[in-house]
């Protein structure tokens, strides 16, 4: 059970660690953090994460290709060697799991054309730029492509994926082991649920980043991939 | 906003990274991973985490003392210098947050006597060893002590704590930013919800560890703390 997860500077750490908590508990799991070099990187809020595998050494046909998001995902949308690596692994992966704005990386790699997909609510309107069919669900499964909404949604997506990979009993056991019976203290986890002033403040704080992502999406879709 | 989080070998990484995702988003947050040395450690399933602060250099009166659990927590229950450090920081911390079996570390440090507390379902019966009043809730708040159930419950506890520290609007904004509107795929996150064979298999897998924790609890309660 080979899991290859892209890690990069200014990742949102839970996009990676949420699915790690689930998928690393699968029988025989080998979970690799993959990047250009093996120096530690910091997530968007400073947590140190350490890659263990260089891009060319990652499994060529992983059971899972995990593509997380976060602020640092923007740079990947113009990083053609990274996008080519994502394309090469996605082509042979059994499943692809994007979390949060990781979906935009898949989009920039040309992998969302004609596929149903979701992403963080604040970037949801960008999905159509990539030829995807946006679907406003927490987890969207289209063939072997599983995309999730923002950050914490990677836990739900990974549990769905665990059931596909190892059966529902195995997934339920993982859910029990991590005591995942969540009780959010507020009804504020989606833009529809949160009070309007809170939603507007959250939108305003990332508006420049969202605009930069839109521009990166436009550049990305002007590229043509050879295969 | 000083947050001091104990990190150690074979921690369960989500016990730390769940609260990190929430609390590192608080205004002015400075989140420190604290341990005996600064060499990277591996969590129970292999994720590399890197401490940034030595025990004596950690804030003496942190706003939050975070005590995570996981398999490696067992060794801490006999590690008197660690228990003394926990006692020293707990004495001056504004809030103490234990996640999962981190509560057993607090118990071994003599900090649960007469307090209501919870922990991972599989260790719940050990709480009374420490003179605690076990309360079967996902998050238990007793004065400045916040304890949570297993692993993923740290997210809920941290959001409750964020509201105490910075107000409900700030906590709701964090919940929205991390799109925390969970949709667990199964009803299996507590021992009461999970099918009996799955619960029994999960219990059996950790029975030796649970027994070792009971023995460590008995040793710990035979110690007397000077203050």
């Amino acid at each position: 059970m080979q899991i290859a997860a892209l890690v990069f500077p200014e990742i949102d750490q839970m996009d990676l660690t949420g699915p790690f908590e689930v998928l690393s508990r699968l029988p025989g799991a080998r979970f690799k953090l993959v990047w250009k070099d093996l120096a530690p990187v910091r997530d968007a809020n400073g947590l140190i994460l350490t890659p263990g595998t260089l891009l060319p050494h990652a499994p060529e046909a992983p059971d899972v290709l995990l593509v997380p998001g976060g602020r640092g995902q923007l740079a990947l949308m113009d990083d053609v060697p990274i996008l080519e690596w994502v394309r090469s692994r996605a082509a042979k992966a059994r499943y692809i799991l994007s979390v949060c704005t990781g979906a935009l990386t898949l989009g920039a790699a040309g992998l969302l054309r004609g596929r149903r997909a979701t992403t963080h609510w604040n970037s949801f309107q960008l999905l159509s730029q990539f030829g995807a069919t946006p679907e406003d669900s927490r987890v969207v499964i289209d063939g072997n492509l599983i995309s999730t909404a923002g950050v914490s949604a990677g836990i739900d997506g990974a549990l769905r994926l665990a059931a596909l990979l190892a059966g529902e009993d195995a997934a339920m056991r993982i859910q029990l082991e991590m005591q995942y019976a969540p009780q959010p203290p507020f009804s504020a986890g989606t833009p529809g649920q949160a009070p309007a002033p809170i939603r507007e403040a959250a939108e305003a704080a990332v508006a420049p980043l969202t605009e930069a992502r839109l521009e990166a999406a436009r550049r990305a879709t002007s590229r043509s991939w050879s295969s």
Side-chain angles (χ1 to χ4, degrees), chain A:
Chain A
M1 187 69 71
Q2 296 273 5
I3 301 143
L6 197 62
V7 62
F8 50 88
E10 296 196 273
I11 188 175
D12 193 313
Q13 61 89 19
M14 186 174 273
D15 294 9
L16 174 73
T17 58
F20 180 91
E21 190 68 29
V22 174
L23 300 176
S24 71
R25 293 172 183 266
L26 285 170
R30 301 194 58 171
F31 199 112
K32 317 259 192 198
L33 273 60
V34 185
W35 184 231
K36 293 176 181 182
D37 58 61
L38 303 183
V41 299
R42 282 189 185 268
D43 107 305
N45 288 311
L47 187 77
I48 297 173
L49 293 169
T50 304
T53 302
L54 296 168
L55 292 161
H57 300 158
E60 293 193 7
D63 294 283
V64 180
L65 172 67
L66 170 60
V67 182
R71 197 189 306 150
Q73 169 280 332
L74 174 64
L76 305 188
M77 295 171 78
D78 288 304
D79 191 329
V80 172
I82 288 292
L83 299 176
E84 287 177 339
W85 181 86
V86 168
R87 289 175 61 82
S88 75
R89 265 50 182 185
K92 294 185 177 177
R94 197 165 154 209
Y95 289 99
I96 304 158
L97 173 62
S98 73
V99 178
C100 195
T101 49
L104 307 184
T105 305
L106 294 182
L111 295 168
L112 293 188
R113 273 196 289 272
R115 315 266 322 238
R116 292 180 294 110
T118 192
T119 186
H120 191 284
W121 62 268
N122 220 329
S123 290
F124 189 75
Q125 76 282 8
L126 302 184
L127 287 172
S128 58
Q129 294 284 324
F130 303 111
T133 302
E135 184 175 314
D136 186 12
S137 301
R138 188 156 176 86
V139 178
V140 174
I141 302 181
D142 181 345
N144 76 335
L145 173 65
I146 299 165
S147 57
T148 80
V151 191
S152 60
I155 301 169
D156 297 321
L159 281 166
R160 298 276 297 273
L161 176 53
L164 292 171
L165 286 164
E168 294 200 350
D169 280 6
M172 283 194 278
R173 177 159 164 189
I174 292 170
Q175 187 177 335
L176 177 61
E177 287 175 351
M178 55 190 287
Q179 205 159 352
Y180 187 52
Q183 293 179 2
F186 307 103
S187 177
T190 69
Q193 290 171 343
I198 289 172
R199 184 187 72 242
E200 288 157 10
E203 282 172 342
V206 295
L209 177 57
T210 305
E211 178 62 26
R213 281 170 163 150
L214 174 60
E215 290 165 15
R218 288 177 177 147
R219 286 193 296 277
T221 49
S222 70
R223 281 178 216 121
S224 63
W225 298 98
S226 53
S227 60

